[in-house]
Amino acid sequence: MDVLPTYELKDLHRLVREVAAQVSLDEDTAWLALVHRPSTTQTLLRVDPLPVPALLDDHDDISSHLRAAVESFDLGWRRGVGLEHMAVTIIVRPGFTVFGPNEAVWLRGWRYSNHMQSIFTSAMVLVTEHGWLEFMSHVAGAEPRMVRSAA
């Protein structure tokens, strides 16, 4: 049996389905999922809406919003204990399921968030009308998909 590094998710397909069961993956929304022990038991603890839209402009600075969201988890520093939590960003937007300039804004926001919490924040899932894709692992699926807004 292969042992996953602690910063990898055990079952991305299951996680995306669990998130979709808890929240509606509506167009132009963004979510932050908190996962306990991502590489072993992978328990989804909560899914919170982020106070910014999924579609961002290149000049947008979302780092303070991401910092506040992670700090709300109240994990703090835990000396002597390995990292046991992961924050997974879920970006729901129309278009191809390909990471582009919009997602670069999200990655830059995480880079400068300086949240100082004992948590992994590298997992990012893009959800579109075509399915979903995770940034680091390139794991993807056709379902669930984005829910189109009634316009």
Side-chain angles (χ1 to χ4, degrees):
M1 179 169 101
D2 293 330
V3 176
L4 290 174
T6 56
Y7 56 84
E8 288 189 21
L9 287 157
K10 179 179 178 178
D11 187 347
L12 264 163
H13 292 273
R14 187 182 91 209
L15 178 67
V16 175
R17 284 192 311 272
E18 288 175 346
V19 168
Q22 287 191 23
V23 300
S24 181
L25 298 174
D26 295 326
E27 182 176 342
D28 201 22
T29 59
W31 304 90
L32 194 61
L34 178 62
V35 180
H36 184 245
R37 296 191 177 158
S39 64
T40 57
T41 57
Q42 186 184 298
T43 306
L44 179 61
L45 299 178
R46 62 194 261 192
V47 183
D48 297 337
L50 287 167
V52 292
L55 292 165
L56 301 169
D57 292 323
D58 189 44
H59 66 275
D60 286 337
D61 180 8
I62 59 170
S63 56
S64 63
H65 297 292
L66 296 173
R67 179 176 49 253
V70 171
E71 287 174 349
S72 76
F73 294 154
D74 196 27
L75 301 173
W77 286 99
R78 293 196 165 101
R79 295 190 187 277
V81 175
L83 295 177
E84 293 186 334
H85 294 87
M86 175 181 279
V88 179
T89 312
I90 296 105
I91 302 162
V92 188
R93 65 152 174 84
F96 292 116
T97 313
V98 175
F99 282 81
N102 183 71
E103 291 70 42
V105 175
W106 283 95
L107 293 169
R108 187 172 55 246
W110 276 117
R111 179 176 182 165
Y112 296 110
S113 67
N114 299 321
H115 54 75
M116 303 299 287
Q117 300 292 303
S118 295
I119 189 169
F120 294 111
T121 57
S122 61
M124 183 177 296
V125 176
L126 171 61
V127 179
T128 73
E129 65 270 31
H130 303 287
W132 61 271
L133 171 69
E134 199 279 321
F135 178 69
M136 296 297 284
S137 67
H138 302 284
V139 173
E143 295 289 337
R145 298 175 186 212
M146 175 188 78
V147 176
R148 284 251 185 222
S149 60

